[in-house]
Amino acid sequence: MSDTEGLGRGFQRSRASLSAAFASRPGAGWRSVTNVKSLTTSDHPEDTMSVKAFTLVSAVEREMLMGDKNYINIECIECCGKNLYIGTNDCFIYHFLLDEKISTAGKVTFAATKQLHKYLGLKKPVSELKAASALTRLLVLCDNTITLVNMMNLEPVPTGARIKGAVTFAVNENPVSGDPFCVEVCIISVKRRTIQMFMVFEDRVQIVKEVFTPEQPCAVAVDGYYLCLALTTQYIILNYNTGVSQDLFPYCSDEKRPIVKRIGRQEFLLAGPGGLGMFATVDGISQRAPVHWSENVIGAALCFPYVVALDDEFITVHSMLDQQQKQTLPFKEGHILQDFEGKVIVATNKGVYILVPLPLEKQIQDLLASHRVEEALVLAKGARRNIPKEKFQVRPSFNFHENINFTVGPCISMVMYKRILQQAGFIQFAQLQFLEAKELFRSGQLDVRELISLYPFLLPTSSSFIRSHPPLHEYADLNQLTQGDQEKMTKCKRFLMSYLNEVRSTEVANGYKEDIDTALLKLYAEANHESLLDLLVSENFCLLTDSAAWLEKHKKYFALGLLYHYNGQDAAALQLWVKIVDGDIQDSTRSDLYEYIVDFLTFCSDQDLVWKYSEWVLQKNEEVGVQIFTKRPLEEQEKNNINPDNIISCLNKYPKARVKYLEHLVLERKIEKEKYHTHLAVLYLEAILQLKSVTTDKCTETTDLLLKLRSLLQKSDLYRIHFILDKIQGTDLHMESAILYGKLEEHEKALHILVHELKDFHAAEEYCMWNSENRDTQYRRRLFHMLLSVYLNPGTPDCALVMAAVDLLNNHATEFDAALVLQLVPDSWSVQLLSPFLAGAVRQSIHTRRMTQAALGLAQAENLIYKYEKVKQKGTPILLSDKKVCQVCQNPFCEPVFVRYPNGGMVHTHCAANRHLNSNMTHHSSSSSNQT
């Protein structure tokens, strides 16, 4: 980084000496002044210097001080509370009392009352005055001597205590001694390159330390053990306790007067090169950006949040928060500028004036009125803090959203601070700076109705909201703000939509939920925004009356139905939606509105509404409309009159819907009621016969119905078989007849139909398979033997049946008893013809034998395990003799039957049967007993 960049960013360095910007290349250091100037002021033209931060008020007129003696000039001043002391060039000290007065118009004036004056008798100017209020002493520098005088009567202390050989001096406002009745004073001695530290008591002085400097010091400020010195060619920080020094940056004492001013704990303000007011800490770094003042600055003072500078013609006011010059006051012939406990006093040779700060609130309001939002916020944020004056620190920031870590002086209340944020938010809003406005509204906890009220007709008619007074902005409504510009108005509405959507679920909405949601609904409806439906189907607080009228005005009938539904008015909602589907009113929000209504009715708990609109939905589409019954939750059907019987009765006029509903009952819900199964089978049958009567060709619909009927007849055991069979008689539904005969266990008839009438040998085999499902092997084998018999005894020879019989045997060898088959087949059949069957039969026989042997072996092994466990349980033998007695009754055993407990005790069986005794015995036992 170059030297130029170094100084421009010097306030961001950590532990880097300020001298680094100047020491190696002074020329570059001077050029960096321009960079700092451009950094701090280029974005702010001259008209920004219009903040009225101070007013200049006369405190002491020349007539009060010198009358007609024109030769008298003011050399120095000191102020302590209401006491004002003035030192003159003719060796006089004047004491005045300042009385501050505020007029009804808020104007501040000062009335000075002269108390007394004192001639020191040295015929030299009084160079400096410092008050030590704890000691009631005034330190007076005159003719290189510091004299202690009484603050009240201006008489020197009786002891004559004084400090000689002082060029200038400074009081340590951060003393290290800890003695409250002592003042620490640092002087620049008349000795070359010498600094001396003194302790000043009420009537005596004591030298503490003498320090030598590398160059002749010109000015000094002190904080604790640290001295900030202006030497002949540079500024330095010197720790007089350790002797360690830190170079800051160069300057030329021959060209300008140095300024060294302590502004806070371990921090100083210095007059740098190029008209810069530089801040430096005792560590030799700068924690904030410099201020840019005049090249010819004479003096500087601090009054938060401003640095005040004095030159030959002007008093300039600079903000410590954003480094901008805020105010310029013409002031000629000024030569003294000092601050005393927050009071800034400036003086010419003939008069004394006070810079009275305007209330920060007034300054902020003036900035807001001129739309200087950033400056107003920086000032407000700084003033909001309440950190003691001695402890403020700042981290540099040019972004008013960043935190300012210090404040001193006046502050504003939280209520006023929030109001300022709100005002700033409206200014940013009017400039269409919506992101900034939103952040300010949220930080300022804006009553969101203030913003909504700008938009005509968005607040509910029932709202009692009244805008803040005094007002937060100058606009009557959005039309005035945008001057009728539709594009700007659209942007503002879009912003409000976004903002309301964000805050509606936060604490900001507490108490105003109805106003917020109603306004949001109106915005969505007007803009045809997709979020309108999301708002209405989720929890909301939209007021029904206002919202309904607005939705109807904008022809949002589907959304209006949702609003009615949310407010429990389902009948009104359905009435609207039905009108949309029927084309009575126009709303293209949903192209699938009919399906939506069906879904709505499906889950509607009002059964009267369901019955009322069931006819309408079924007339529109039977297959879709029936879903209001088929998809209805089971618990709903069980506790009201929307039950299957009533539904079927309703669906009698709608055959397709009736079939769909019966399929739902039988196939999906698996309801085991004969009437539903029989009814469904009859409906299938009637539909098939109807289609067959219309056309002889097999259409897709007929095929589908046949498959459904066959599946039902095969899988269900609940329908009335004879009833269905009677209906099938005389038709060509042979497969269905076979299935029904199978259900009646009349398998020969069924197989006869399949083999001789349908000649469907595969179907005959399938018949045997599904009829024997969940049956034993013998039942299945009987069916297959029946089929074989049908093949082999046709009545008339038929080669097709012979081949079918051969295929049956070869394909299903395991399903037959081989010995019986060999007795049935004709002797003319060759072994080769039946080789697959024979091979399969032999394989099955061998497999069965081996499986039987394996099962026998496993059973034997299991039996062996049981025997082992039995022997194991017997344990060691128990000897019973006539000498053994029962532990319960103490009688001998008369027969070899007893009960033995795990602890070895033996009792009679009848004694063990006694529960009470048994429980006593088991109290001493750890496990169940073994009986022998």
Side-chain angles (χ1 to χ4, degrees), residues 109-137:
T109 58
F110 290 91
T113 305
K114 184 176 178 181
Q115 301 300 298
L116 71 160
H117 61 276
K118 178 70 176 180
Y119 177 60
L120 299 182
L122 298 175
K123 296 185 179 180
K124 295 285 186 177
V126 178
S127 303
E128 290 186 51
L129 297 172
K130 297 291 181 184
S133 57
L135 308 178
T136 65
R137 295 291 181 262

PDB file of all heavy atoms in Angstrom, residues 109-137:
ATOM      1  N   THR A 109     -29.885  32.961  26.062  1.00  0.00           N
ATOM      2  CA  THR A 109     -29.024  34.145  26.255  1.00  0.00           C
ATOM      3  C   THR A 109     -28.253  33.962  27.559  1.00  0.00           C
ATOM      4  O   THR A 109     -28.627  33.140  28.411  1.00  0.00           O
ATOM      5  CB  THR A 109     -29.850  35.435  26.330  1.00  0.00           C
ATOM      6  OG1 THR A 109     -30.811  35.322  27.409  1.00  0.00           O
ATOM      7  CG2 THR A 109     -30.578  35.697  25.018  1.00  0.00           C
ATOM      8  N   PHE A 110     -27.167  34.728  27.683  1.00  0.00           N
ATOM      9  CA  PHE A 110     -26.342  34.682  28.888  1.00  0.00           C
ATOM     10  C   PHE A 110     -26.195  36.087  29.452  1.00  0.00           C
ATOM     11  O   PHE A 110     -25.925  37.046  28.711  1.00  0.00           O
ATOM     12  CB  PHE A 110     -24.960  34.094  28.591  1.00  0.00           C
ATOM     13  CG  PHE A 110     -24.990  32.625  28.289  1.00  0.00           C
ATOM     14  CD1 PHE A 110     -25.130  32.182  26.982  1.00  0.00           C
ATOM     15  CD2 PHE A 110     -24.898  31.690  29.311  1.00  0.00           C
ATOM     16  CE1 PHE A 110     -25.155  30.833  26.687  1.00  0.00           C
ATOM     17  CE2 PHE A 110     -24.921  30.338  29.032  1.00  0.00           C
ATOM     18  CZ  PHE A 110     -25.055  29.918  27.721  1.00  0.00           C
ATOM     19  N   ALA A 111     -26.364  36.163  30.760  1.00  0.00           N
ATOM     20  CA  ALA A 111     -26.137  37.432  31.453  1.00  0.00           C
ATOM     21  C   ALA A 111     -24.914  37.258  32.348  1.00  0.00           C
ATOM     22  O   ALA A 111     -24.895  36.402  33.234  1.00  0.00           O
ATOM     23  CB  ALA A 111     -27.360  37.812  32.277  1.00  0.00           C
ATOM     24  N   ALA A 112     -23.875  38.070  32.085  1.00  0.00           N
ATOM     25  CA  ALA A 112     -22.630  37.980  32.860  1.00  0.00           C
ATOM     26  C   ALA A 112     -22.619  39.051  33.939  1.00  0.00           C
ATOM     27  O   ALA A 112     -22.867  40.233  33.665  1.00  0.00           O
ATOM     28  CB  ALA A 112     -21.433  38.125  31.942  1.00  0.00           C
ATOM     29  N   THR A 113     -22.333  38.624  35.165  1.00  0.00           N
ATOM     30  CA  THR A 113     -22.254  39.566  36.297  1.00  0.00           C
ATOM     31  C   THR A 113     -20.823  39.564  36.805  1.00  0.00           C
ATOM     32  O   THR A 113     -20.297  38.523  37.225  1.00  0.00           O
ATOM     33  CB  THR A 113     -23.206  39.133  37.417  1.00  0.00           C
ATOM     34  OG1 THR A 113     -24.523  39.003  36.894  1.00  0.00           O
ATOM     35  CG2 THR A 113     -23.203  40.160  38.537  1.00  0.00           C
ATOM     36  N   LYS A 114     -20.220  40.734  36.779  1.00  0.00           N
ATOM     37  CA  LYS A 114     -18.829  40.842  37.229  1.00  0.00           C
ATOM     38  C   LYS A 114     -18.756  40.740  38.745  1.00  0.00           C
ATOM     39  O   LYS A 114     -19.460  41.449  39.470  1.00  0.00           O
ATOM     40  CB  LYS A 114     -18.230  42.169  36.764  1.00  0.00           C
ATOM     41  CG  LYS A 114     -16.751  42.321  37.100  1.00  0.00           C
ATOM     42  CD  LYS A 114     -16.189  43.618  36.529  1.00  0.00           C
ATOM     43  CE  LYS A 114     -14.739  43.795  36.898  1.00  0.00           C
ATOM     44  NZ  LYS A 114     -14.185  45.056  36.360  1.00  0.00           N
ATOM     45  N   GLN A 115     -17.901  39.812  39.217  1.00  0.00           N
ATOM     46  CA  GLN A 115     -17.738  39.624  40.657  1.00  0.00           C
ATOM     47  C   GLN A 115     -16.579  40.466  41.195  1.00  0.00           C
ATOM     48  O   GLN A 115     -16.753  41.212  42.153  1.00  0.00           O
ATOM     49  CB  GLN A 115     -17.482  38.141  40.944  1.00  0.00           C
ATOM     50  CG  GLN A 115     -18.606  37.215  40.472  1.00  0.00           C
ATOM     51  CD  GLN A 115     -19.934  37.533  41.131  1.00  0.00           C
ATOM     52  OE1 GLN A 115     -20.069  37.445  42.354  1.00  0.00           O
ATOM     53  NE2 GLN A 115     -20.904  37.956  40.339  1.00  0.00           N
ATOM     54  N   LEU A 116     -15.420  40.327  40.588  1.00  0.00           N
ATOM     55  CA  LEU A 116     -14.270  41.151  40.984  1.00  0.00           C
ATOM     56  C   LEU A 116     -13.184  40.977  39.952  1.00  0.00           C
ATOM     57  O   LEU A 116     -13.311  40.167  39.035  1.00  0.00           O
ATOM     58  CB  LEU A 116     -13.743  40.726  42.368  1.00  0.00           C
ATOM     59  CG  LEU A 116     -13.002  39.367  42.474  1.00  0.00           C
ATOM     60  CD1 LEU A 116     -12.161  39.348  43.740  1.00  0.00           C
ATOM     61  CD2 LEU A 116     -13.971  38.222  42.503  1.00  0.00           C
ATOM     62  N   HIS A 117     -12.134  41.760  40.088  1.00  0.00           N
ATOM     63  CA  HIS A 117     -10.966  41.589  39.237  1.00  0.00           C
ATOM     64  C   HIS A 117      -9.727  41.778  40.104  1.00  0.00           C
ATOM     65  O   HIS A 117      -9.783  42.386  41.179  1.00  0.00           O
ATOM     66  CB  HIS A 117     -10.958  42.587  38.073  1.00  0.00           C
ATOM     67  CG  HIS A 117     -10.915  44.011  38.506  1.00  0.00           C
ATOM     68  ND1 HIS A 117     -12.046  44.727  38.869  1.00  0.00           N
ATOM     69  CD2 HIS A 117      -9.854  44.876  38.621  1.00  0.00           C
ATOM     70  CE1 HIS A 117     -11.694  45.955  39.196  1.00  0.00           C
ATOM     71  NE2 HIS A 117     -10.365  46.074  39.060  1.00  0.00           N
ATOM     72  N   LYS A 118      -8.615  41.219  39.619  1.00  0.00           N
ATOM     73  CA  LYS A 118      -7.403  41.199  40.433  1.00  0.00           C
ATOM     74  C   LYS A 118      -6.200  41.478  39.544  1.00  0.00           C
ATOM     75  O   LYS A 118      -6.035  40.868  38.480  1.00  0.00           O
ATOM     76  CB  LYS A 118      -7.263  39.816  41.088  1.00  0.00           C
ATOM     77  CG  LYS A 118      -6.005  39.640  41.934  1.00  0.00           C
ATOM     78  CD  LYS A 118      -6.069  40.479  43.207  1.00  0.00           C
ATOM     79  CE  LYS A 118      -4.849  40.236  44.098  1.00  0.00           C
ATOM     80  NZ  LYS A 118      -4.894  41.044  45.328  1.00  0.00           N
ATOM     81  N   TYR A 119      -5.385  42.386  39.995  1.00  0.00           N
ATOM     82  CA  TYR A 119      -4.139  42.705  39.308  1.00  0.00           C
ATOM     83  C   TYR A 119      -3.033  41.884  39.959  1.00  0.00           C
ATOM     84  O   TYR A 119      -2.853  41.898  41.174  1.00  0.00           O
ATOM     85  CB  TYR A 119      -3.837  44.192  39.416  1.00  0.00           C
ATOM     86  CG  TYR A 119      -2.529  44.603  38.781  1.00  0.00           C
ATOM     87  CD1 TYR A 119      -2.303  44.387  37.416  1.00  0.00           C
ATOM     88  CD2 TYR A 119      -1.521  45.210  39.543  1.00  0.00           C
ATOM     89  CE1 TYR A 119      -1.116  44.763  36.838  1.00  0.00           C
ATOM     90  CE2 TYR A 119      -0.324  45.599  38.959  1.00  0.00           C
ATOM     91  CZ  TYR A 119      -0.123  45.375  37.596  1.00  0.00           C
ATOM     92  OH  TYR A 119       1.064  45.742  37.012  1.00  0.00           O
ATOM     93  N   LEU A 120      -2.263  41.179  39.101  1.00  0.00           N
ATOM     94  CA  LEU A 120      -1.213  40.311  39.632  1.00  0.00           C
ATOM     95  C   LEU A 120       0.085  41.046  39.885  1.00  0.00           C
ATOM     96  O   LEU A 120       0.986  40.502  40.542  1.00  0.00           O
ATOM     97  CB  LEU A 120      -0.962  39.144  38.667  1.00  0.00           C
ATOM     98  CG  LEU A 120      -2.155  38.208  38.403  1.00  0.00           C
ATOM     99  CD1 LEU A 120      -1.744  37.080  37.479  1.00  0.00           C
ATOM    100  CD2 LEU A 120      -2.711  37.663  39.711  1.00  0.00           C
ATOM    101  N   GLY A 121       0.217  42.233  39.329  1.00  0.00           N
ATOM    102  CA  GLY A 121       1.369  43.072  39.637  1.00  0.00           C
ATOM    103  C   GLY A 121       2.636  42.704  38.915  1.00  0.00           C
ATOM    104  O   GLY A 121       3.724  43.093  39.363  1.00  0.00           O
ATOM    105  N   LEU A 122       2.532  41.921  37.790  1.00  0.00           N
ATOM    106  CA  LEU A 122       3.743  41.501  37.097  1.00  0.00           C
ATOM    107  C   LEU A 122       3.958  42.245  35.788  1.00  0.00           C
ATOM    108  O   LEU A 122       4.992  42.088  35.145  1.00  0.00           O
ATOM    109  CB  LEU A 122       3.702  39.993  36.820  1.00  0.00           C
ATOM    110  CG  LEU A 122       3.647  39.091  38.063  1.00  0.00           C
ATOM    111  CD1 LEU A 122       3.483  37.631  37.641  1.00  0.00           C
ATOM    112  CD2 LEU A 122       4.907  39.260  38.898  1.00  0.00           C
ATOM    113  N   LYS A 123       2.977  43.026  35.392  1.00  0.00           N
ATOM    114  CA  LYS A 123       3.028  43.786  34.142  1.00  0.00           C
ATOM    115  C   LYS A 123       3.313  42.899  32.918  1.00  0.00           C
ATOM    116  O   LYS A 123       3.968  43.318  31.981  1.00  0.00           O
ATOM    117  CB  LYS A 123       4.094  44.886  34.242  1.00  0.00           C
ATOM    118  CG  LYS A 123       3.769  45.930  35.293  1.00  0.00           C
ATOM    119  CD  LYS A 123       4.786  47.063  35.283  1.00  0.00           C
ATOM    120  CE  LYS A 123       4.430  48.098  36.324  1.00  0.00           C
ATOM    121  NZ  LYS A 123       5.405  49.225  36.337  1.00  0.00           N
ATOM    122  N   LYS A 124       2.858  41.650  33.008  1.00  0.00           N
ATOM    123  CA  LYS A 124       2.974  40.700  31.903  1.00  0.00           C
ATOM    124  C   LYS A 124       1.582  40.139  31.605  1.00  0.00           C
ATOM    125  O   LYS A 124       0.714  40.109  32.480  1.00  0.00           O
ATOM    126  CB  LYS A 124       3.907  39.537  32.277  1.00  0.00           C
ATOM    127  CG  LYS A 124       5.347  39.954  32.508  1.00  0.00           C
ATOM    128  CD  LYS A 124       6.052  40.236  31.194  1.00  0.00           C
ATOM    129  CE  LYS A 124       7.538  40.502  31.432  1.00  0.00           C
ATOM    130  NZ  LYS A 124       8.271  40.710  30.168  1.00  0.00           N
ATOM    131  N   PRO A 125       1.347  39.683  30.396  1.00  0.00           N
ATOM    132  CA  PRO A 125       0.030  39.097  30.091  1.00  0.00           C
ATOM    133  C   PRO A 125      -0.206  37.825  30.919  1.00  0.00           C
ATOM    134  O   PRO A 125       0.724  37.080  31.231  1.00  0.00           O
ATOM    135  CB  PRO A 125       0.101  38.772  28.596  1.00  0.00           C
ATOM    136  CG  PRO A 125       1.251  39.584  28.074  1.00  0.00           C
ATOM    137  CD  PRO A 125       2.213  39.737  29.205  1.00  0.00           C
ATOM    138  N   VAL A 126      -1.470  37.609  31.244  1.00  0.00           N
ATOM    139  CA  VAL A 126      -1.858  36.346  31.876  1.00  0.00           C
ATOM    140  C   VAL A 126      -1.991  35.318  30.745  1.00  0.00           C
ATOM    141  O   VAL A 126      -2.895  35.406  29.911  1.00  0.00           O
ATOM    142  CB  VAL A 126      -3.179  36.478  32.647  1.00  0.00           C
ATOM    143  CG1 VAL A 126      -3.573  35.125  33.238  1.00  0.00           C
ATOM    144  CG2 VAL A 126      -3.046  37.529  33.742  1.00  0.00           C
ATOM    145  N   SER A 127      -1.100  34.322  30.685  1.00  0.00           N
ATOM    146  CA  SER A 127      -1.027  33.420  29.536  1.00  0.00           C
ATOM    147  C   SER A 127      -2.074  32.302  29.571  1.00  0.00           C
ATOM    148  O   SER A 127      -2.704  31.979  28.559  1.00  0.00           O
ATOM    149  CB  SER A 127       0.366  32.783  29.453  1.00  0.00           C
ATOM    150  OG  SER A 127       1.353  33.788  29.374  1.00  0.00           O
ATOM    151  N   GLU A 128      -2.270  31.693  30.763  1.00  0.00           N
ATOM    152  CA  GLU A 128      -3.203  30.568  30.852  1.00  0.00           C
ATOM    153  C   GLU A 128      -3.866  30.553  32.207  1.00  0.00           C
ATOM    154  O   GLU A 128      -3.276  30.978  33.216  1.00  0.00           O
ATOM    155  CB  GLU A 128      -2.478  29.231  30.631  1.00  0.00           C
ATOM    156  CG  GLU A 128      -2.001  28.998  29.209  1.00  0.00           C
ATOM    157  CD  GLU A 128      -1.433  27.601  29.007  1.00  0.00           C
ATOM    158  OE1 GLU A 128      -2.132  26.633  29.378  1.00  0.00           O
ATOM    159  OE2 GLU A 128      -0.307  27.495  28.505  1.00  0.00           O
ATOM    160  N   LEU A 129      -5.108  30.026  32.246  1.00  0.00           N
ATOM    161  CA  LEU A 129      -5.858  29.855  33.483  1.00  0.00           C
ATOM    162  C   LEU A 129      -6.431  28.436  33.508  1.00  0.00           C
ATOM    163  O   LEU A 129      -6.972  27.953  32.504  1.00  0.00           O
ATOM    164  CB  LEU A 129      -7.013  30.855  33.578  1.00  0.00           C
ATOM    165  CG  LEU A 129      -6.659  32.339  33.628  1.00  0.00           C
ATOM    166  CD1 LEU A 129      -7.925  33.174  33.512  1.00  0.00           C
ATOM    167  CD2 LEU A 129      -5.943  32.668  34.941  1.00  0.00           C
ATOM    168  N   LYS A 130      -6.310  27.753  34.635  1.00  0.00           N
ATOM    169  CA  LYS A 130      -6.905  26.440  34.813  1.00  0.00           C
ATOM    170  C   LYS A 130      -7.518  26.375  36.208  1.00  0.00           C
ATOM    171  O   LYS A 130      -6.853  26.701  37.196  1.00  0.00           O
ATOM    172  CB  LYS A 130      -5.872  25.312  34.677  1.00  0.00           C
ATOM    173  CG  LYS A 130      -5.215  25.203  33.311  1.00  0.00           C
ATOM    174  CD  LYS A 130      -6.201  24.728  32.253  1.00  0.00           C
ATOM    175  CE  LYS A 130      -5.499  24.620  30.902  1.00  0.00           C
ATOM    176  NZ  LYS A 130      -6.457  24.250  29.831  1.00  0.00           N
ATOM    177  N   ALA A 131      -8.763  25.939  36.297  1.00  0.00           N
ATOM    178  CA  ALA A 131      -9.451  25.853  37.583  1.00  0.00           C
ATOM    179  C   ALA A 131      -9.281  24.460  38.158  1.00  0.00           C
ATOM    180  O   ALA A 131      -9.397  23.462  37.446  1.00  0.00           O
ATOM    181  CB  ALA A 131     -10.924  26.176  37.413  1.00  0.00           C
ATOM    182  N   ALA A 132      -8.998  24.404  39.454  1.00  0.00           N
ATOM    183  CA  ALA A 132      -8.972  23.142  40.201  1.00  0.00           C
ATOM    184  C   ALA A 132     -10.059  23.249  41.248  1.00  0.00           C
ATOM    185  O   ALA A 132      -9.819  23.675  42.390  1.00  0.00           O
ATOM    186  CB  ALA A 132      -7.605  22.909  40.829  1.00  0.00           C
ATOM    187  N   SER A 133     -11.286  22.892  40.870  1.00  0.00           N
ATOM    188  CA  SER A 133     -12.442  23.140  41.729  1.00  0.00           C
ATOM    189  C   SER A 133     -12.367  22.351  43.024  1.00  0.00           C
ATOM    190  O   SER A 133     -12.865  22.803  44.062  1.00  0.00           O
ATOM    191  CB  SER A 133     -13.731  22.800  40.978  1.00  0.00           C
ATOM    192  OG  SER A 133     -13.706  21.459  40.526  1.00  0.00           O
ATOM    193  N   ALA A 134     -11.737  21.147  42.995  1.00  0.00           N
ATOM    194  CA  ALA A 134     -11.633  20.353  44.218  1.00  0.00           C
ATOM    195  C   ALA A 134     -10.793  21.065  45.269  1.00  0.00           C
ATOM    196  O   ALA A 134     -10.977  20.853  46.474  1.00  0.00           O
ATOM    197  CB  ALA A 134     -11.042  18.983  43.901  1.00  0.00           C
ATOM    198  N   LEU A 135      -9.861  21.902  44.794  1.00  0.00           N
ATOM    199  CA  LEU A 135      -8.983  22.634  45.720  1.00  0.00           C
ATOM    200  C   LEU A 135      -9.436  24.081  45.896  1.00  0.00           C
ATOM    201  O   LEU A 135      -8.800  24.821  46.677  1.00  0.00           O
ATOM    202  CB  LEU A 135      -7.541  22.622  45.191  1.00  0.00           C
ATOM    203  CG  LEU A 135      -6.942  21.262  44.821  1.00  0.00           C
ATOM    204  CD1 LEU A 135      -5.530  21.448  44.265  1.00  0.00           C
ATOM    205  CD2 LEU A 135      -6.921  20.352  46.038  1.00  0.00           C
ATOM    206  N   THR A 136     -10.505  24.474  45.164  1.00  0.00           N
ATOM    207  CA  THR A 136     -10.936  25.895  45.077  1.00  0.00           C
ATOM    208  C   THR A 136      -9.759  26.784  44.721  1.00  0.00           C
ATOM    209  O   THR A 136      -9.561  27.848  45.309  1.00  0.00           O
ATOM    210  CB  THR A 136     -11.605  26.372  46.389  1.00  0.00           C
ATOM    211  OG1 THR A 136     -10.643  26.350  47.443  1.00  0.00           O
ATOM    212  CG2 THR A 136     -12.820  25.533  46.718  1.00  0.00           C
ATOM    213  N   ARG A 137      -8.957  26.297  43.769  1.00  0.00           N
ATOM    214  CA  ARG A 137      -7.782  27.064  43.362  1.00  0.00           C
ATOM    215  C   ARG A 137      -7.848  27.312  41.861  1.00  0.00           C
ATOM    216  O   ARG A 137      -8.402  26.526  41.089  1.00  0.00           O
ATOM    217  CB  ARG A 137      -6.473  26.312  43.686  1.00  0.00           C
ATOM    218  CG  ARG A 137      -6.234  26.122  45.178  1.00  0.00           C
ATOM    219  CD  ARG A 137      -5.926  27.458  45.863  1.00  0.00           C
ATOM    220  NE  ARG A 137      -5.669  27.309  47.278  1.00  0.00           N
ATOM    221  CZ  ARG A 137      -6.575  27.519  48.217  1.00  0.00           C
ATOM    222  NH1 ARG A 137      -7.818  27.871  47.862  1.00  0.00           N
ATOM    223  NH2 ARG A 137      -6.273  27.388  49.481  1.00  0.00           N
TER     224      ARG A 137
END
